[in-house]
Amino acid sequence: MTVKLRAHHLLCVLTYIGKGYGPAFTANYDGIVARLVAGENILIEEGPDDICQPLLATTEPHCLRDSVIERDIKAMHDVANLLGRPLQIGDTVDLDAMTVGKFRDAFTKGQTRRACIGCEWFDLCSAISKSGYQDTRLKFE
């Protein structure tokens, strides 16, 4: 199986600690992280993805806003630079301990944070990064 993620969620999974928009959202997110740790790869999706699913039933889900689409564009560019290869909708990305370490190092250094500007979770993710990613759910043993 494959986890479908929009580009900016490649960054969000790095700092996920079990907080979110509500119980259904966090339960879904926990399941996605478990799938990634189990070895499922990521398919880069355009628009709402597996993480967004619990929010789509709400009135005017933010997943559909232009600002979120702009975050995807910025994240796609930054992650492609980090991976050293072009990245586009429909491509796959494999996560493992080394790749997550590389992504987190770049995130901490601010090399992949352009997509995060204006996000309501910016301060929380910054604090998690500064703490060395303690208590994050995405861990490869």
Side-chain angles (χ1 to χ4, degrees):
M1 292 189 64
T2 300
V3 175
K4 296 175 186 172
L5 293 184
R6 60 189 322 156
H8 85 266
H9 281 158
L10 288 169
L11 305 176
C12 299
V13 299
L14 301 174
T15 60
Y16 176 65
I17 60 170
K19 293 187 178 187
Y21 296 99
F25 180 85
T26 55
N28 180 60
Y29 210 138
D30 285 342
I32 290 166
V33 169
R35 290 170 56 197
L36 293 173
V37 171
E40 289 189 35
N41 68 352
I42 296 168
L43 176 69
I44 304 299
E45 186 86 346
E46 183 173 26
D49 61 8
D50 290 344
I51 290 175
C52 298
Q53 287 309 308
L55 300 176
L56 294 178
T58 63
T59 305
E60 298 181 34
H62 80 274
C63 311
L64 303 174
R65 293 184 189 151
D66 289 341
S67 62
V68 178
I69 295 166
E70 184 63 31
R71 282 191 190 113
D72 288 334
I73 293 167
K74 290 176 181 176
M76 185 89 76
H77 180 264
D78 288 348
V79 171
N81 284 340
L82 186 59
L83 291 173
R85 66 175 171 96
L87 191 62
Q88 59 190 10
I89 302 302
D91 285 349
T92 59
V93 175
D94 294 315
L95 290 186
D96 56 26
M98 186 174 1
T99 304
V100 169
K102 181 178 180 177
F103 279 28
R104 285 182 171 155
D105 184 56
F107 189 89
T108 300
K109 291 177 181 175
Q111 297 168 342
T112 55
R113 298 293 309 268
R114 291 182 318 131
C116 306
I117 296 170
C119 176
E120 66 187 282
W121 301 97
F122 185 88
D123 291 338
L124 176 64
C125 294
S126 296
I128 292 165
S129 169
K130 287 179 185 170
S131 78
Y133 299 91
Q134 292 179 14
D135 302 321
T136 55
R137 302 270 171 104
L138 183 67
K139 295 183 192 267
F140 292 89
E141 310 275 326

